[in-house]
Amino acid sequence: MKKIIVTLGALLVFGFVNAQDKLKAKTEGQTEVGKWLIEVNTDFGTPMGSNTGFSYSDTDGDTILNLGAEAGYFVIKDLALKVGLGYGSMKSDLLDTNIFSYRVAAKYYVLSQIPVQVDYSGATIKDFDENPSYLGLQAGYAWFLGTNVSIEPGVKYNLSLNDKYTDKNTIQFNIGFALHF
């Protein structure tokens, strides 16, 4: 009986290790030179006017909606240069305006699995005298689900580059969904 348990245990460990090696072989290469990245984020806590992801909030009749995405190209292994665009609207009793957001970023995957990003983002807000701009620092973790999809939860710090703008330095949490091809 003891031999059967040891044999079954060894087969189970061998099967698990073999399956992990096959999964790793299938998912390697998403961050290689020449690959493309299309990314959409949920941007929780994004400062108003720098949102290139998806968000919606409705609080006491104040509605903010934003739609956006980012695209990147891997110029060297694990380093993608990205650009992002977003369009949003803000509606309340006192305000009804549109927002055009933009982002330029460098995203590096440490060990091909831990994304670290530095970016410049900002916006043009219709009828506002001041428009926001931010320097962002972000880190997270990339779960690769096969050869073309990853889920990347992360945290980001946005350093305000505009002293007169109301949303100063902020921390945001996001969940990114990326296509790699």
Side-chain angles (χ1 to χ4, degrees), residues 90 106 124 132:
M90 295 174 42
T124 301

Side-chain angles (χ1 to χ4, degrees), residues 66-132:
N66 201 85
L67 305 170
E70 300 177 17
Y73 181 77
F74 286 91
V75 294
I76 62 172
K77 181 174 174 38
D78 296 330
L79 177 64
L81 298 181
K82 295 179 15 177
V83 295
L85 297 174
Y87 176 79
S89 68
M90 295 174 42
K91 294 183 193 255
S92 69
D93 293 337
L94 303 173
L95 182 66
D96 186 0
T97 191
N98 298 318
I99 304 167
F100 173 74
S101 302
Y102 53 87
R103 179 171 291 141
V104 178
K107 187 173 193 176
Y108 184 75
Y109 286 79
V110 178
L111 303 173
S112 298
Q113 199 95 31
I114 302 168
V116 177
Q117 178 172 297
V118 175
D119 62 56
Y120 172 78
S121 62
T124 301
I125 303 174
K126 181 181 173 193
D127 300 327
F128 273 43
D129 294 333
E130 296 289 333
N131 289 308

Side-chain angles (χ1 to χ4, degrees), residues 29-31 35-41 69-74 80 82 107 109 143-152 176-181:
Q30 290 94 333
T31 61
K35 294 283 188 165
W36 287 91
L37 168 74
I38 305 292
E39 186 173 3
V40 177
N41 291 297
E70 300 177 17
Y73 181 77
F74 286 91
K82 295 179 15 177
K107 187 173 193 176
Y109 286 79
W143 278 293
F144 289 99
L145 308 174
T147 57
N148 297 98
V149 179
S150 68
I151 298 174
E152 300 181 7
F177 301 92
L179 296 175
H180 301 262
F181 55 95

Side-chain angles (χ1 to χ4, degrees), residues 146-178:
T147 57
N148 297 98
V149 179
S150 68
I151 298 174
E152 300 181 7
V155 63
K156 182 177 180 184
Y157 180 74
N158 295 293
L159 175 67
S160 177
L161 300 176
N162 185 337
D163 292 335
K164 296 180 183 178
Y165 196 69
T166 57
D167 276 348
K168 295 292 181 189
N169 308 337
T170 61
I171 294 178
Q172 75 183 72
F173 300 94
N174 59 24
I175 298 174
F177 301 92

Side-chain angles (χ1 to χ4, degrees), residues 6-84:
V6 171
T7 303
L8 287 175
L11 286 173
L12 184 63
V13 169
F14 175 76
F16 179 76
V17 170
N18 190 33
Q20 294 303 310
D21 285 343
K22 286 182 180 180
L23 179 61
K24 186 176 180 184
K26 275 175 91 174
T27 60
E28 286 181 347
Q30 290 94 333
T31 61
E32 294 293 329
V33 176
K35 294 283 188 165
W36 287 91
L37 168 74
I38 305 292
E39 186 173 3
V40 177
N41 291 297
T42 55
D43 287 342
F44 303 113
T46 301
M48 183 180 75
S50 72
N51 194 339
T52 58
F54 285 97
S55 65
Y56 175 80
S57 69
D58 189 354
T59 307
D60 298 328
D62 296 339
T63 304
I64 301 173
L65 171 68
N66 201 85
L67 305 170
E70 300 177 17
Y73 181 77
F74 286 91
V75 294
I76 62 172
K77 181 174 174 38
D78 296 330
L79 177 64
L81 298 181
K82 295 179 15 177
V83 295

